[in-house]
Amino acid sequence: MSLNEGSAESKKELPNKSLLLAACAACIGGTFQYGYNVSVINAPTVYVQTFINQTWRERYQTEISENILTLLWSTIVSVFTLGGFIGATVGGTLSVKLGRKGTLLTNNIFALAAALLLGLSYPTGFFELLIIGRLLTGINAGIGICVQPLYLGEIAPTAFRGVMGMGTSVFITGGILTGQVIGLKELLGGEEYWPILLSTTCIPAILQLLVLPWFPESPRYLLIDKGDEDGCKIALKQLHGTDGCNGELEDIEKERDNLASFNARKPWELFTDRTVRWQLLTIIVLNVAQQLNGINAIYFYADYVFKQSGIPDDKIPYVTVGTGACECITALTCGMLIESLGRKVLITGGYTLMSICCILFTLTLTFQDASPVVPYMSMACISGFILSFGLGPGGVTNILTTELFTQTARPAAYMISGSVNWLSFFFIGLVFPFIVIRLQHYCFLVFLAVCSSVAIYIILVVPETKNKTFLEIQSEFQSSNNRKACSVEGAGANLLSTST
């Protein structure tokens, strides 16, 4: 091999720089916003409650009751989930009407409006603006987490689809970590800065509005949905380079020809289509499990374990930042491993390791006072669970939602998966406190059942999708469906012959 051939081959092993920049531009105003707004609300909890109490006293000349204060604060926190569900239900439709890139840019209207309302709540003395602002940030996050993975999956070449898809997980964890860091007292975590802290959600929106317009629309959307062949070729050349666009164009044309008689599908049409039954069941199972696997419970118990380990209360926020950094690093590690190990190995391994951590964490919490060493073992279990989540379920779930469906069904699939994910998020937030009250630390046995069941389901049902085109994955599922149908028919025939 000559030196020039070697250098050319090494270049092919890396994504085009324009492709990476387009992914970053999409993610900063997409899933980064989701992670950021999930974590940033935690730092000013006491200060916002003080503001509500003060405002109530000035309005009604009486102290607010503890129950009403708790209700208002819970509404401010949980209305984000309602907004996310609304965003998920409209995200797929918008991505068909406005395009993937157009929807992401339009979505920033919600973030900018939310930042304005959140920032004005304190100077105007209207805590109701916090509720409306959090609702708008939820809508923004819901649309972003629905459309951004769709955009990444469609602009990525087959060989780098897993790596590009991991941008979703990397930027979610990066958003969580950024929210934790900015919420420290040394930055914007002080009492006088909390309105500014909450309104910083405008910064990622402004960055995306400045950067994303320089990059093209999804080539698949341009060719298959809009029939714009010239636009598709221009987009492919910008994203993949002159040398890398021909193979991708051929793949997109094959998918277009295969879907020539189909229009964009509606969510309810997927439920009645037997050809996508197992794909649909798979994304529903994975998205429910992503919220019900215990990751939220781990963060709930983290502060208790840190206190038991002797960490002072004023130092716990810094330790929490450390756990956020661990999750971010794990997402990056998953991105480097996903094309070599494959999706199935990572997500199955992640759920298996989480099952083991559930068992060990239950034991360490049960015997927390047995030895001074046990709290540190609990800390190790927390780290292990977070790392296992980031290694598999946290990153691979969204990639599979992209890969298991073809172009016409993919937006509807994201609407379904996003709605299921947000409903599960709301459900676990509503039910989890009661689970803890009833089961205490034995609640992790429930999460053990979830994690182990999902691992078994993936092993039995989900094929490996690494280095396969969307049509190849569809064909593999259809072959599997035919085999299952034949086995059912054969069993029925045997039963009839036996009875006669």
Side-chain angles (χ1 to χ4, degrees):
M1 183 191 297
S2 68
L3 183 61
N4 290 335
E5 289 173 343
S7 61
E9 189 173 316
S10 65
K11 285 181 181 177
K12 290 180 182 178
E13 293 176 357
L14 295 173
N16 188 285
K17 182 170 68 174
S18 179
L19 182 67
L20 293 176
L21 291 174
C24 291
C27 290
I28 193 67
T31 50
F32 180 89
Q33 287 276 41
Y34 168 80
Y36 184 76
N37 286 295
V38 163
S39 68
V40 79
I41 194 67
N42 294 323
T45 298
V46 175
Y47 307 136
V48 173
Q49 290 178 346
T50 302
F51 163 64
I52 294 172
N53 196 1
Q54 177 185 341
T55 305
W56 189 278
R57 190 187 310 117
E58 290 174 357
R59 284 186 192 176
Y60 306 109
Q61 286 75 49
T62 183
E63 293 292 332
I64 189 171
S65 70
E66 191 68 29
N67 290 336
I68 295 177
L69 179 60
T70 302
L71 176 64
L72 288 172
W73 173 246
S74 299
T75 303
I76 291 169
V77 174
S78 60
V79 77
F80 176 78
T81 311
L82 174 62
F85 176 74
I86 295 170
T89 56
V90 302
T93 303
L94 289 175
S95 72
V96 175
K97 299 289 185 183
L98 305 178
R100 286 40 164 163
K101 172 186 165 184
T103 302
L104 288 173
L105 291 173
T106 305
N107 188 33
N108 290 301
I109 294 172
F110 295 106
L112 294 174
L116 181 64
L117 294 176
L118 293 168
L120 289 175
S121 59
Y122 181 76
T124 58
F126 287 103
F127 57 76
E128 294 85 354
L129 295 180
L130 292 173
I131 298 174
I132 302 171
R134 285 287 292 176
L135 177 68
L136 293 177
T137 59
I139 294 173
N140 171 264
I143 294 174
I145 207 168
C146 174
V147 179
Q148 179 228 291
L150 192 60
Y151 180 72
L152 295 188
E154 292 181 2
I155 67 173
T158 302
F160 295 111
R161 205 166 55 225
V163 174
M164 292 288 291
M166 281 306 301
T168 297
S169 176
V170 169
F171 275 83
I172 286 177
T173 56
I176 292 172
L177 178 61
T178 304
Q180 290 170 340
V181 171
I182 293 181
L184 294 174
K185 290 184 177 180
E186 289 80 357
L187 296 175
L188 295 178
E191 184 171 4
E192 65 273 26
Y193 298 123
W194 71 260
I196 300 173
L197 174 64
L198 295 181
S199 63
T200 50
T201 188
C202 68
I203 297 174
I206 293 170
L207 286 174
Q208 185 175 73
L209 288 171
L210 290 174
V211 179
L212 187 58
W214 297 96
F215 297 97
E217 179 57 88
S218 158
R220 289 179 181 276
Y221 174 79
L222 291 172
L223 184 59
I224 299 174
D225 291 74
K226 291 299 182 182
D228 185 359
E229 189 166 347
D230 292 335
C232 175
K233 289 178 180 178
I234 293 170
L236 285 172
K237 284 181 181 178
Q238 182 178 352
L239 293 169
H240 301 160
T242 306
D243 297 332
C245 68
N246 292 330
E248 288 302 315
L249 180 60
E250 184 180 342
D251 177 38
I252 297 172
E253 287 175 338
K254 284 180 181 177
E255 189 173 351
R256 178 195 60 183
D257 295 339
N258 188 64
L259 301 170
S261 59
F262 294 94
N263 294 318
R265 311 283 291 279
K266 301 293 190 292
W268 52 88
E269 293 175 344
L270 296 189
F271 284 105
T272 59
D273 187 351
R274 295 177 65 86
T275 63
V276 296
R277 178 179 56 187
W278 284 100
Q279 295 97 306
L280 191 60
L281 179 61
T282 297
I283 65 164
I284 290 173
V285 168
L286 293 181
N287 278 276
V288 169
Q290 193 174 33
Q291 295 296 341
L292 305 187
N293 57 27
I295 188 66
N296 298 300
I298 283 289
Y299 282 116
F300 177 85
Y301 269 97
D303 284 2
Y304 164 73
V305 171
F306 295 152
K307 288 177 183 178
Q308 289 291 104
S309 303
I311 298 173
D313 287 353
D314 60 333
K315 302 298 181 186
I316 286 178
Y318 303 97
V319 181
T320 304
V321 168
T323 61
C326 284
E327 192 174 356
C328 193
I329 292 169
T330 310
L332 289 169
T333 305
C334 182
M336 292 185 285
L337 294 175
I338 193 165
E339 294 299 352
S340 57
L341 295 180
R343 287 66 155 152
K344 189 169 183 175
V345 170
L346 284 176
I347 195 167
T348 306
Y351 274 116
T352 303
L353 290 173
M354 289 165 72
S355 300
I356 295 170
C357 288
C358 282
I359 297 171
L360 296 177
F361 197 42
T362 301
L363 292 173
T364 56
L365 288 176
T366 303
F367 301 104
Q368 191 79 354
D369 299 324
S371 168
V373 179
V374 176
Y376 295 98
M377 295 172 64
S378 297
M379 289 180 66
C381 289
I382 289 174
S383 299
F385 194 96
I386 292 172
L387 293 175
S388 301
F389 175 78
L391 191 64
V396 180
T397 300
N398 276 310
I399 296 173
L400 287 177
T401 306
T402 299
E403 293 183 330
L404 298 187
F405 294 89
T406 52
Q407 185 75 11
T408 55
R410 199 173 294 121
Y414 264 102
M415 290 173 69
I416 294 170
S417 65
S419 300
V420 168
N421 198 297
W422 283 101
L423 284 175
S424 302
F425 189 4
F426 175 76
F427 175 78
I428 194 66
L430 189 68
V431 173
F432 178 68
F434 299 101
I435 295 176
V436 173
I437 291 170
R438 286 295 184 90
L439 299 178
Q440 296 182 358
H441 48 266
Y442 292 108
C443 66
F444 285 93
L445 297 179
V446 176
F447 304 127
L448 168 63
V450 173
C451 292
S452 56
S453 299
V454 174
I456 294 169
Y457 176 86
I458 294 167
I459 292 170
L460 296 177
V461 175
V462 183
E464 179 54 70
T465 59
K466 180 181 71 170
N467 290 332
K468 294 177 182 176
T469 65
F470 295 126
L471 289 179
E472 288 171 344
I473 296 167
Q474 184 189 40
S475 298
E476 188 164 343
F477 261 106
Q478 287 176 348
S479 300
S480 176
N481 288 341
N482 291 336
R483 286 196 300 270
K484 288 169 185 172
C486 289
S487 65
V488 170
E489 289 173 4
N494 290 335
L495 184 62
L496 288 173
S497 62
T498 302
S499 62
T500 55

